[in-house]
Amino acid sequence: MKKKNESLCGMIGLHVDDFLHAGNKIFTSEVIKAIHSEFCVGKNERNSFMYTGFELHQKKDGILGTQKQFTESVEIPEIDQVRGTQRNDDLTAVEKTTLRKMAGALNWAVRGSRPDLSFNLIEASTKFQTGKVDDLIRLRKTMISLKEIPTVIYFPCLEDQADWIFLCFTDAAFGNLNNGKDSTGGHIIILLNKKSGKCAILDWQSNKIKRVVRSTLAAETL
């Protein structure tokens, strides 16, 4: 919502039937009040709350986001000691299912608060059909790291909007998947206050490059 002078008053995010909103007093009185009168709101929280699995905490200087409750609830399967020595053996059907379950949990964390584990996720996702016991062991170690190392995403107050700029960094790695057959590409988008230097990460992504490339330059171009 914008006022007549085009300055931003507030905004609303929506996921299914969960609302997330932020704004000034005008936005709260004119928009949020109207929403409350039109819809039955079961719970209305502010400052610290859960939203679609994320713990959000609003502070004076910014907003903190974490998935602590989710990562603590992740179950890590045990691997039989004898089976753990058979690293080059193909995964059984049951073990492949276990690999997929762990990758699914890791995917949710990577998308929300752990961009540092993006490659681990990509590597595991390429092993669903042809995985070895070693792949299961490596992913299990990643899941242990996910639980043991808490991560908080910080969105600082970026002050005057006139000083905001977008930055995008991209990179690629040639032949680092499937024994050199496939490559990986990724990007990160940042909103930066060019005067204060404060910044907030808006988006990140890393994926296997769909096309087969023959050089680092080709990987980075795609």
Side-chain angles (χ1 to χ4, degrees):
M1 174 183 174
K2 291 184 177 181
K3 294 189 295 186
K4 292 182 179 180
N5 62 4
E6 293 300 308
S7 63
L8 186 65
C9 287
M11 60 185 70
I12 295 178
L14 175 64
H15 179 77
V16 189
D17 59 352
D18 292 326
F19 288 87
L20 181 68
H21 63 84
N24 59 20
K25 293 181 179 179
I26 296 175
F27 180 77
T28 301
S29 62
E30 295 185 8
V31 178
I32 301 304
K33 186 177 180 180
I35 290 176
H36 278 249
S37 64
E38 184 71 23
F39 299 99
C40 179
V41 178
K43 184 187 294 185
N44 187 19
E45 298 176 291
R46 62 176 61 192
N47 297 330
S48 293
F49 52 89
M50 290 286 294
Y51 181 74
T52 63
F54 294 87
E55 300 169 61
L56 300 177
H57 304 278
Q58 185 174 14
K59 307 294 183 180
K60 289 184 178 180
D61 58 348
I63 296 173
L64 303 177
T66 177
Q67 291 178 290
K68 182 180 179 181
Q69 288 189 22
F70 167 72
T71 56
E72 288 180 347
S73 68
V74 171
E75 296 182 359
I76 300 178
E78 295 295 332
I79 298 177
D80 181 78
Q81 187 174 1
V82 175
R83 185 58 169 160
T85 64
Q86 302 165 344
R87 289 178 172 266
N88 294 322
D89 283 11
D90 293 334
L91 293 176
T92 65
V94 173
E95 289 170 336
K96 287 180 180 179
T97 299
T98 300
L99 185 76
R100 290 191 181 94
K101 286 182 178 179
M102 285 197 292
L106 180 60
N107 180 53
W108 182 246
V110 165
R111 289 173 58 190
S113 60
R114 294 300 301 267
D116 57 308
L117 299 179
S118 294
F119 179 74
N120 304 66
L121 172 63
I122 296 170
E123 189 174 41
S125 67
T126 65
K127 306 297 183 181
F128 289 164
Q129 299 299 325
T130 61
K132 304 289 185 181
V133 173
D134 183 61
D135 299 313
L136 188 66
I137 293 173
R138 292 173 63 183
L139 181 56
R140 184 177 182 275
K141 289 181 179 179
T142 298
M143 301 306 289
I144 292 174
S145 174
L146 174 68
K147 290 176 70 73
E148 291 183 346
I149 303 176
T151 303
V152 174
I153 299 294
Y154 177 52
F155 301 92
C157 177
L158 297 181
E159 301 158 350
D160 192 350
Q161 297 177 31
D163 297 324
W164 294 1
I165 60 172
F166 288 99
L167 295 178
C168 180
F169 297 93
T170 65
D171 199 5
F174 171 61
N176 64 335
L177 290 173
N178 294 328
N179 298 319
K181 294 180 181 179
D182 297 306
S183 303
T184 307
H187 72 259
I188 184 170
I189 299 175
I190 296 173
L191 183 60
L192 171 72
N193 184 309
K194 59 185 179 182
K195 288 188 177 179
S196 68
K198 294 181 179 180
C199 65
I201 300 176
L202 300 182
D203 183 48
W204 60 82
Q205 192 172 25
S206 183
N207 289 302
K208 184 182 78 171
I209 296 175
K210 294 182 179 180
R211 291 179 57 183
V212 176
V213 296
R214 304 299 181 188
S215 67
T216 301
L217 178 60
E220 291 177 343
T221 300
L222 292 176

